[in-house]
């Protein structure tokens, strides 16, 4: 196969990324035989040099941590969505050489929620306060009509979340992580914390839980998600998010639409099962 167009995911660590599986499945389904998609271990210090060495065959990049903010000064333009949370996860190289940045995590979250029937809620809770939590807030700005409570471990993180709320013109209240069990009674709970962090909350799942969006996908299910499902609550997974944001990336990078959502989801499920 002669490669005519290239794309890749960058980050550190990157070996675990499912993005190559999802994007390659899309290329196969779309008949893009001249396209390749790879992964590269790139940290913040190496990013400028990596970008400068890319040739005209490069169509775009996916970015994961710790590059989502580090890339912004290296771009010619970013979308309003990316600017709203100071985070870029998609770079498209225009024909004139410009580097264009966008954030597909936010619309990806909204699309994943809507796929599960969540178009609007009157309040919500967020577990955690990292970069994913700011994207979750931006997604909630499109589906939540009332208060969002963020459960965090420090006053510094609390201040950050309140600041994001002000920037997004949202009603954001913060609470201490020691009270995180109270979050589980919200109509929508978005868990944005690292693996294992919410395990201790599983015992506090109410008898009739509403909807949990757990952004993790490996290992899956988390203890919280498993308990939530056992009690009959709706669960949106990290794989749902990953696939929906990747669909938008494929469409932007290749210029082909619609991207094959189900083929990408199936490829992701198979890859996770093989792990």
């Amino acid at each position: 196969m002669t490669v005519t167009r290239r794309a890749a995911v960058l980050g550190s660590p990157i070996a675990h990324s499912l993005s190559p599986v999802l994007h390659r499945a899309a290329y196969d389904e779309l008949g893009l035989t001249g396209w390749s998609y790879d992964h590269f271990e790139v940290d913040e210090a190496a990013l400028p040099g990596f970008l400068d060495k890319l040739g005209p065959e490069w169509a775009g990049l996916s970015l994961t941590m710790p590059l989502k903010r580090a890339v912004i000064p290296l771009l010619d333009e970013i979308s309003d969505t990316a600017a709203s949370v100071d985070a870029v996860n998609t770079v498209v190289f225009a024909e004139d050489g410009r580097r264009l940045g966008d954030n597909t995590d936010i619309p990806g979250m909204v699309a994943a929620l809507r796929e599960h029937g969540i178009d609007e809620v009157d309040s919500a809770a967020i577990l955690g306060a990292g970069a994913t939590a700011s994207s979750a807030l931006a997604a909630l700005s499109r589906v939540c009509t009332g208060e969002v409570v963020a459960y965090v471990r420090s006053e510094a993180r609390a201040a950050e979340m309140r600041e994001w709320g002000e920037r997004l013109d949202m009603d954001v209240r913060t609470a201490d992580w020691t009270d995180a069990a109270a979050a589980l009674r919200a109509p929508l709970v978005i868990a944005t914390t690292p693996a294992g962090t919410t395990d201790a909350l599983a015992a506090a799942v109410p008898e009739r839980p509403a909807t949990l969006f757990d952004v993790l996908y490996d290992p899956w299910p988390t203890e919280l998600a498993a308990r939530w499902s056992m009690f009959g609550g709706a669960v949106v997974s990290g794989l749902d998010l990953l696939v929906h944001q990747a669909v938008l990336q494929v469409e932007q990078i290749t210029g082909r639409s619609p991207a094959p959502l189900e083929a990408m989801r199936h490829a992701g499920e198979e890859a996770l099962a093989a792990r």
Side-chain angles (χ1 to χ4, degrees), residues 171-190:
D171 182 10
V172 176
R173 180 166 63 86
T174 54
D176 192 86
W177 184 262
T178 55
D179 298 321
L184 309 186
R185 295 192 291 272
L188 171 61
V189 181
I190 304 183

Side-chain angles (χ1 to χ4, degrees), residues 246-258:
V247 160
L248 297 169
Q249 286 187 333
V250 168
E251 291 174 353
Q252 290 191 27
I253 292 171
T254 68
R256 295 282 295 273
S257 183

Side-chain angles (χ1 to χ4, degrees), residues 198-211:
T198 62
D199 288 357
L201 295 176
V205 173
E207 287 188 11
R208 295 183 180 178
T211 300

Side-chain angles (χ1 to χ4, degrees), residues 2-237:
T2 302
V3 174
T4 57
R5 298 294 276 161
R6 296 190 68 182
V9 60
L10 314 181
S12 183
I14 200 62
H16 69 288
S17 176
L18 273 184
S19 290
V21 170
L22 302 182
H23 285 252
R24 290 169 187 168
Y27 296 171
D28 288 345
E29 193 75 11
L30 292 169
L32 298 175
T33 55
W35 284 69
S36 70
Y37 190 99
D38 303 294
H39 68 272
F40 293 95
E41 183 84 14
V42 178
D43 61 15
E44 293 157 292
L47 183 59
F50 185 94
L51 291 178
D52 288 342
K53 290 178 182 176
L54 299 183
E57 75 278 13
W58 282 87
L61 299 169
S62 309
L63 301 175
T64 186
M65 300 306 290
L67 305 179
K68 293 183 180 184
R69 291 191 176 139
V71 76
I72 292 176
L74 308 175
L75 302 178
D76 296 295
E77 184 181 325
I78 68 171
S79 68
D80 290 343
T81 301
S84 73
V85 291
D86 289 341
V88 165
N89 76 331
T90 308
V91 176
V92 174
F93 301 111
E95 289 184 7
D96 61 7
R98 287 183 306 145
R99 303 167 177 174
L100 311 177
D102 194 14
N103 185 310
T104 64
D105 286 330
I106 295 166
M109 280 187 177
V110 174
L113 286 168
R114 287 180 173 158
E115 185 178 48
H116 285 77
I118 308 299
D119 293 304
E120 185 177 292
V121 291
D122 58 14
S123 62
I126 295 177
L127 300 174
T132 305
S134 63
S135 290
L137 261 185
L140 286 172
S141 73
R142 306 183 185 190
V143 299
C144 183
T145 60
E147 182 182 66
V148 176
V149 184
Y151 292 81
V152 301
R153 292 188 182 276
S154 71
E155 178 50 40
R157 288 300 181 111
E160 283 180 15
M161 290 299 282
R162 291 193 294 269
E163 184 180 330
W164 285 118
E166 290 177 11
R167 287 182 56 170
L168 293 161
D169 195 25
M170 296 181 67
D171 182 10
V172 176
R173 180 166 63 86
T174 54
D176 192 86
W177 184 262
T178 55
D179 298 321
L184 309 186
R185 295 192 291 272
L188 171 61
V189 181
I190 304 183
T192 70
T193 52
T197 306
T198 62
D199 288 357
L201 295 176
V205 173
E207 287 188 11
R208 295 183 180 178
T211 300
L212 170 69
F213 191 161
D214 195 325
V215 303
L216 296 173
Y217 61 83
D218 186 17
W220 186 262
T222 62
E223 287 191 29
L224 180 61
R227 181 89 169 180
W228 201 276
S229 294
M230 187 174 76
F231 278 66
V235 175
V236 186
S237 76

